[in-house]
Amino acid sequence: MLSARVQREQCLAPLVLLLLVGAHVVAGTESTDYSDAEVLPDSYPSAPAEPLPEFLLEPEDAFIVKNRPVQLRCRASPATQIYFKCNGEWVNQNDHVTRESLDQVTGLVVREVDISVSRTQVEELFGLEDYWCQCVAWSSAGTTKSNRAYVRIAYLRKNFEQEPLGREVRLEQEVLLQCRPPEGMPAAEVDWLKNEDLIDPSQDSNFLITIDHDLIIKQARLSDTANYTCVARNVVAKRRSSTATLIVYVSGGWSSWTEWSECNARCGRGWQRRTRSCTNPAPLNGGAFCEGPPFQRITCTTLCPVDGGWTEWAKWSACGTECTHWRSRECQAPPPRNGGKHCSGSMMESKNCTEGLCARNKKISIEHASHPLAPGMGVAVYAGLVGALLLCVILVLCVGVLAYRRRCRHLHGDITDSSSALTAAFHPGNYKPPRQDNPHPLHPSAPPDLTATAGAFRGPLFSLKQGVNDSPHKIPMTTSPLLDPLPGLKIKVYNASTLSSLELPPDMYLGDGEILSLKSVGTVGRERDYHSHTLSREPGLSTSATLGALGGRLTIPNTGVSLLVPPGTIPQGKFYEMYLIINKWDKTTLPSEGSQTVLSPVVSCGPSGMLLNRPVVLTLPHCAQLDTPTPDWTLTLKTQTHQGAWEEVLTVGEETLSSPCYLQLEEECCHVLMEQLGTYGLVGQSCPPQPACKRLQLALFAPRAPCLSLDYSLRIYCIHDTPHALKEVLDLERSLGGVLLEDPKPLLFKDSYHNLRLSIHDIPHTHWRSKLLAKYQEIPFYHIWSGSQRPLHCTFSLERGSLAVSQLSCKICVRQVEGEGQIFQLHTDIQETLPPHSPLPSGGTCLPSSQVGPYAFRLPDSIRHKICASLDAPSARGCDWRLLARSLGFDRYLNYFATKPSPTGVLLDLWEACHQADADLVSLATALEEMGKSEVLVVMTTDGDC
């Protein structure tokens, strides 16, 4: 570079010298020419000075794409020379490409120079500054420098710094989708695609792209539910982000209430009903269902129609001139009311009053009437009067005797207990008629015609007959005053299979000698008379039984839900028709709120409001994973009020003396000791810092019938790991014609906000084709964790190439994103009828739906009393009920048992509930042996089964 500069200066020196000599010669000549002139001017006009060079085109920043060099160009006028200087050094003259022209307007010389910069030149530069180049132009007036032009190597990284994430938003909510493009040179430009169509905010004002490349949807619309992609591009390449799925959901809203329906009872007390639907708007895209009941009921009373009845005939009128007399009656016994029928028949009646004598003439009749009565006729008249008087006296005596007997029945009308009635064929029961000062039924919420007042019988049907040796105070039920206070009494008779009822009309009174046979009652009525409860009882989701002081157990088969009513819970002489119902998810309000999740079925037991002498035990299955070394669940038991709102009953681990319940937690179920019946459910939420896990089941179903078309579908359900949830899905698929292909697989679902992803693999593409457009399907995390939508499933639709293809083999992978998963290996022949498959026990192995009396308990009553007598009293050595609680694992909160009259009895009740499937006395005997209670062991060995 330096040698070129020296050479250029050596060339310029002779030229300058030549110019100086020429100027001197010209000056001498001019002086000679004008020496003879007469007058010389004082000054001469000088030639205009040449201006500084002005750049018409300056070099611009450039980027080297891959290995292609870039061209830098500059143009200046006037300019004798133009050279490039890059990073402070002159570029070799041979690397310049120079072009020269003349400006037609100004006549000045325009010079243009190009140079080429390669990738190697830029990469060889070391330092903090980028590679730059600059033009320098000369003229006689001086030099001018152009702006610097920077040359950089263009690139674009592959990975986005931040990709947009899919979301679920409610309608009209503002949405922000963030995107940070990959690092690049030059900086990448960002575009947004909606379902592969370019988003132009100028065309749709609801979209806004910020300076940071984020996409803002001002108000989410249903049409905005789509797949969104962020695209970054520069001169080198174009990159696409992962697709973010935006789901705009609509939460349901109730429509207006319909008008009240007509009273369902044509006569007497009934119900009126009105409904509303969750269609204003209807829930869409996974939106929440409406909260609250879809229907309301109120009581109504319809006036019963009363048909008219005739009064007694009036006395005959006097015999008229026409030889007839009349008598009348009125339709007033009773008069027709409320649309009742009018009396049929005539109001008046007439007949001949002379027995044919009216054929004589009037004179004969008068003469005959003037004669006095014969002596015999007068005796007959007096005899009739005396007979009538005697009849009246007899009637008065009968009425007095009946009144006296009725009074005696009120004073001695108890139906006494009889030990002889306790046989192995039916369970004992004590029956007491209501006193006049307490005419209420068993519980105040029941209507007055409930059968609990008259007593409910269970077991074989029999007749109540008075034996020869029976006490005179034992009276037939039909003549007992027990039936008198209630005008329309229903007597219910129960046996093992049906519930039947007989309604006695108010005007039906039986004589003293008549005895009502309960066998005949059982054959009259076939209508089932359930307890007045608003909950619907679905087949397989409810059970009921009439229980008394001996207690019993209600169990809903194949659901894990049961209710244990210990002996002595119901007061002596009282009987209740108790029920146990699993509420369907689509017909109840869920107890979860916020980040809570439902862990058990919502169960109702009743009747609510009944008085209990000791706690009952409600068993609920749950799906919480509890075998972790550190507690990661906060579990809460909730109950539903009469208004439909949910209230917390207790939180496990935070019990106090005011807690109304005790909850014994096991790995797959929980047992609740409570003294108030109602609707209950178990909810939970994660306990920081560890996320909690729910136990789920994955069940794969296929059509049971042979496939006759080209299409074939597989359904896979994601449900809670509880018997009730599996039973619900099996019943649903049975109605759809589906069959379970194999036993459900377990899956631990973590509270990590990651969705559940389902995909199908290894399909033989030569014979089968999947109709799924995407690579996988996803169930949103919230839908599974909240438990608000049941049952959740995905369908894989397949199509075979021809009807001759019958074999199908593939893999279905189900996993939580960044979590655990399961794989189904499927090999099936779709042309065959698949055999039914169910992991639930058959009807012969499941527990009965209800057990009444001593048969419901494993521990005999005699052993129970002796254990309680031995352990209830506090011991100085601590060998009492507290040690038994520790041995059985019931010692989480001993203060609850300490407040009970018999702590040992409550512990034994809880032991019965925990071991209803495997309740042998060995485990209890082992605990007593460790306590050193040898005297109790002797009793158990003698009276029990140990």
Side-chain angles (χ1 to χ4, degrees):
M1 186 71 70
L2 183 61
S3 61
R5 183 177 180 181
V6 172
Q7 182 178 1
R8 185 167 59 252
E9 291 177 354
Q10 290 177 354
C11 294
L12 293 176
L15 181 59
V16 173
L17 181 61
L18 182 60
L19 291 174
L20 293 175
V21 173
H24 183 272
V25 171
V26 170
T29 305
E30 289 176 352
S31 62
T32 304
D33 294 339
Y34 293 99
S35 59
D36 299 332
E38 296 178 357
V39 179
L40 295 176
D42 297 332
S43 62
Y44 295 94
S46 61
E50 190 175 22
L52 287 173
E54 181 181 356
F55 282 97
L56 304 178
L57 176 66
E58 297 187 70
E60 297 178 349
D61 295 344
F63 297 93
I64 297 177
V65 179
K66 297 182 179 179
N67 292 322
R68 295 192 293 271
V70 298
Q71 300 292 328
L72 299 181
R73 175 177 298 173
C74 65
R75 184 186 306 123
S77 174
T80 57
Q81 292 294 333
I82 300 178
Y83 290 97
F84 271 95
K85 179 185 289 186
C86 294
N87 287 89
E89 295 185 357
W90 294 100
V91 179
N92 194 326
Q93 185 177 5
N94 297 331
D95 294 336
H96 290 74
V97 177
T98 306
R99 289 178 294 276
E100 186 176 330
S101 61
L102 187 67
D103 192 339
Q104 299 297 330
V105 178
T106 62
L108 299 177
V109 176
V110 178
R111 191 175 298 274
E112 183 177 282
V113 176
D114 295 344
I115 65 170
S116 178
V117 179
S118 65
R119 184 187 185 100
T120 306
Q121 291 175 266
V122 176
E123 290 178 343
E124 288 178 353
L125 175 66
F126 294 96
L128 299 177
E129 241 185 340
D130 292 333
Y131 191 92
W132 60 269
C133 291
Q134 186 181 39
C135 276
V136 182
W138 280 272
S139 71
S140 59
T143 62
T144 304
K145 295 181 179 180
S146 70
N147 295 329
R148 293 182 178 183
Y150 291 90
V151 180
R152 303 178 179 90
I153 299 175
Y155 66 91
L156 184 62
R157 306 287 187 199
K158 290 185 177 181
N159 297 325
F160 279 74
E161 294 183 5
Q162 183 175 0
E163 293 186 293
L165 300 177
R167 296 181 58 188
E168 294 182 4
V169 298
R170 67 178 182 273
L171 188 67
E172 298 183 354
Q173 179 181 345
E174 184 180 87
V175 184
L176 172 64
L177 297 178
Q178 294 182 316
C179 177
R180 297 293 179 269
E183 180 186 355
M185 182 63 69
E189 298 179 0
V190 174
D191 294 322
W192 281 90
L193 302 181
K194 174 185 176 181
N195 289 338
E196 302 303 323
D197 294 331
L198 183 65
I199 296 177
D200 187 0
S202 62
Q203 299 294 329
D204 191 345
S205 59
N206 197 40
F207 292 105
L208 175 65
I209 300 178
T210 66
I211 193 173
D212 296 327
H213 312 300
D214 296 336
L215 177 64
I216 296 178
I217 304 177
K218 299 177 182 178
Q219 287 186 331
R221 304 160 295 191
L222 289 177
S223 59
D224 294 329
T225 298
N227 295 325
Y228 291 84
T229 308
C230 181
V231 180
R233 57 183 172 81
N234 64 2
V235 295
V236 179
K238 182 168 68 173
R239 308 283 188 229
R240 291 170 58 96
S241 69
S242 60
T243 300
T245 302
L246 178 67
I247 298 177
V248 181
Y249 64 85
V250 179
S251 296
W254 289 114
S255 64
S256 300
W257 287 104
T258 61
E259 296 294 332
W260 288 105
S261 64
E262 295 183 358
C263 195
N264 66 339
R266 300 180 61 184
C267 173
R269 183 181 178 185
W271 297 98
Q272 282 182 288
R273 176 188 176 105
R274 67 174 183 175
T275 61
R276 57 180 179 176
S277 58
C278 190
T279 57
N280 187 30
L284 292 176
N285 298 334
F289 197 79
C290 303
E291 296 184 358
F295 64 90
Q296 286 182 344
R297 292 201 308 177
I298 60 173
T299 59
C300 59
T301 302
T302 304
L303 297 177
C304 298
V306 179
D307 295 338
W310 291 113
T311 59
E312 296 293 332
W313 287 103
K315 293 181 181 182
W316 289 101
S317 65
C319 193
T321 58
E322 300 297 329
C323 300
T324 58
H325 59 177
W326 302 83
R327 65 175 180 176
S328 64
R329 57 180 179 175
E330 296 182 354
C331 190
Q332 295 293 330
R337 294 193 304 271
N338 307 324
K341 296 180 180 179
H342 199 274
C343 303
S344 61
S346 60
M347 296 180 58
M348 300 186 69
E349 182 183 27
S350 64
K351 71 176 182 177
N352 191 297
C353 57
T354 62
E355 298 181 359
L357 297 180
C358 202
R360 296 182 178 183
N361 55 36
K362 189 174 182 182
K363 182 178 179 181
I364 297 174
S365 299
I366 295 175
E367 290 178 352
H368 179 77
S370 63
H371 287 286
L373 291 174
M377 186 177 293
V379 173
V381 172
Y382 287 117
L385 293 175
V386 172
L389 182 59
L390 291 176
L391 181 60
C392 292
V393 172
I394 293 173
L395 290 177
V396 171
L397 292 175
C398 291
V399 172
V401 171
L402 290 176
Y404 175 77
R405 295 186 61 181
R406 179 174 298 275
R407 182 180 179 186
C408 292
R409 289 196 190 102
H410 279 286
L411 295 177
H412 308 288
D414 291 352
I415 302 177
T416 59
D417 300 335
S418 177
S419 60
S420 62
L422 302 180
T423 65
F426 66 96
H427 299 294
N430 298 328
Y431 304 88
K432 298 288 184 180
R435 299 297 183 186
Q436 296 300 322
D437 56 350
N438 184 22
H440 300 291
L442 290 178
H443 52 89
S445 63
D449 61 343
L450 280 183
T451 61
T453 305
F457 298 84
R458 177 171 293 275
L461 302 180
F462 61 94
S463 300
L464 294 178
K465 297 183 179 180
Q466 277 186 298
V468 178
N469 300 325
D470 288 346
S471 171
H473 299 304
K474 296 183 179 179
I475 61 175
M477 182 171 287
T478 55
T479 59
S480 170
L482 188 65
L483 302 181
D484 295 339
L486 303 179
L489 179 63
K490 291 183 180 179
I491 299 177
K492 288 189 180 178
V493 180
Y494 300 89
N495 56 24
S497 60
T498 61
L499 292 173
S500 55
S501 64
L502 173 66
E503 182 169 350
L504 303 180
D507 56 349
M508 178 179 176
Y509 298 101
L510 302 179
D512 294 344
E514 294 178 318
I515 299 176
L516 177 64
S517 172
L518 297 184
K519 290 185 179 179
S520 64
V521 174
T523 61
V524 173
R526 297 296 182 187
E527 182 182 359
R528 202 178 266 268
D529 188 11
Y530 281 98
H531 190 276
S532 58
H533 195 274
T534 58
L535 294 176
S536 60
R537 301 190 181 184
E538 299 288 341
L541 297 181
S542 64
T543 183
S544 62
T546 301
L547 303 181
L550 296 179
R553 187 195 304 266
L554 301 181
T555 303
I556 303 179
N558 296 330
T559 62
V561 178
S562 64
L563 178 68
L564 180 74
V565 182
T569 302
I570 300 175
Q572 190 73 21
K574 300 288 186 178
F575 288 85
Y576 293 93
E577 183 183 354
M578 303 190 69
Y579 59 84
L580 187 63
I581 302 174
I582 298 178
N583 297 329
K584 299 195 70 173
W585 296 98
D586 55 348
K587 296 182 180 179
T588 185
T589 305
L590 294 181
S592 59
E593 58 183 10
S595 60
Q596 292 179 337
T597 177
V598 182
L599 298 175
S600 75
V602 178
V603 175
S604 297
C605 54
S608 60
M610 63 180 289
L611 299 178
L612 304 177
N613 290 340
R614 59 190 303 166
V616 297
V617 187
L618 176 64
T619 299
L620 300 175
H622 68 78
C623 60
Q625 179 68 13
L626 301 176
D627 60 351
T628 54
T630 57
D632 47 17
W633 279 105
T634 299
L635 301 176
T636 303
L637 181 69
K638 290 190 174 184
T639 184
Q640 193 174 28
T641 63
H642 294 290
Q643 290 76 22
W646 286 93
E647 295 179 349
E648 291 187 6
V649 179
L650 63 85
T651 300
V652 177
E654 300 178 6
E655 294 89 342
T656 61
L657 287 175
S658 61
S659 298
C661 299
Y662 175 83
L663 191 143
Q664 178 65 25
L665 199 61
E666 296 184 349
E667 289 189 2
E668 297 182 354
C669 64
C670 62
H671 309 279
V672 184
L673 282 163
M674 58 186 180
E675 300 181 35
Q676 183 68 41
L677 302 181
T679 301
Y680 291 89
L682 184 68
V683 300
Q685 61 183 0
S686 294
C687 182
Q690 296 295 330
C693 291
K694 290 176 67 172
R695 292 181 290 106
L696 302 180
Q697 294 183 96
L698 305 174
L700 180 62
F701 290 86
R704 182 180 180 185
C707 182
L708 303 179
S709 65
L710 296 178
D711 296 331
Y712 192 74
S713 61
L714 299 171
R715 291 185 295 274
I716 184 165
Y717 288 81
C718 175
I719 57 177
H720 284 175
D721 189 8
T722 59
H724 160 253
L726 180 58
K727 180 178 183 295
E728 184 181 12
V729 170
L730 290 174
D731 293 342
L732 174 62
E733 277 295 325
R734 190 178 299 112
S735 64
L736 298 176
V739 63
L740 184 66
L741 295 182
E742 57 180 282
D743 287 345
K745 295 181 180 292
L747 177 70
L748 292 182
F749 192 77
K750 188 179 295 185
D751 185 11
S752 60
Y753 299 98
H754 290 294
N755 298 339
L756 188 70
R757 183 170 295 176
L758 302 92
S759 55
I760 188 168
H761 307 275
D762 299 345
I763 302 176
H765 295 286
T766 55
H767 303 294
W768 290 89
R769 181 181 68 86
S770 174
K771 292 185 177 182
L772 186 65
L773 299 180
K775 294 182 179 179
Y776 53 83
Q777 302 184 65
E778 282 192 351
I779 301 178
F781 166 82
Y782 176 76
H783 290 179
I784 299 177
W785 191 256
S786 66
S788 59
Q789 299 188 9
R790 300 275 181 111
L792 295 171
H793 76 280
C794 284
T795 301
F796 290 97
S797 299
L798 305 177
E799 183 180 12
R800 50 179 172 168
S802 66
L803 294 176
V805 178
S806 61
Q807 299 294 325
L808 173 62
S809 61
C810 61
K811 294 180 182 178
I812 296 181
C813 177
V814 184
R815 69 178 183 90
Q816 186 182 13
V817 179
E818 299 184 9
E820 298 187 4
Q822 288 283 5
I823 296 178
F824 289 89
Q825 297 278 356
L826 180 61
H827 302 280
T828 184
D829 189 344
I830 66 173
Q831 301 288 12
E832 297 181 354
T833 301
L834 299 177
H837 175 73
S838 176
L840 298 177
S842 60
T845 59
C846 64
L847 294 175
S849 60
S850 62
Q851 296 171 292
V852 182
Y855 305 105
F857 307 101
R858 185 69 181 89
L859 193 63
D861 194 53
S862 59
I863 297 178
R864 171 190 293 269
H865 286 309
K866 292 177 181 178
I867 295 177
C868 293
S870 176
L871 299 180
D872 276 345
S875 172
R877 297 182 300 158
C879 188
D880 51 18
W881 63 270
R882 292 169 293 183
L883 184 57
L884 177 64
R886 295 187 185 94
S887 301
L888 297 178
F890 302 156
D891 57 339
R892 185 173 53 81
Y893 187 68
L894 292 177
N895 289 339
Y896 176 83
F897 301 97
T899 59
K900 305 304 173 187
S902 177
T904 309
V906 179
L907 290 172
L908 294 179
D909 295 339
L910 185 56
W911 176 84
E912 288 270 8
C914 293
H915 298 84
Q916 60 174 327
D918 57 345
D920 56 357
L921 300 181
V922 176
S923 60
L924 183 60
T926 303
L928 293 173
E929 184 179 6
E930 294 175 354
M931 296 173 58
K933 292 293 181 179
S934 57
E935 69 279 4
V936 180
L937 284 177
V938 173
V939 174
M940 295 184 64
T941 306
T942 304
D943 301 339
D945 298 335
C946 291

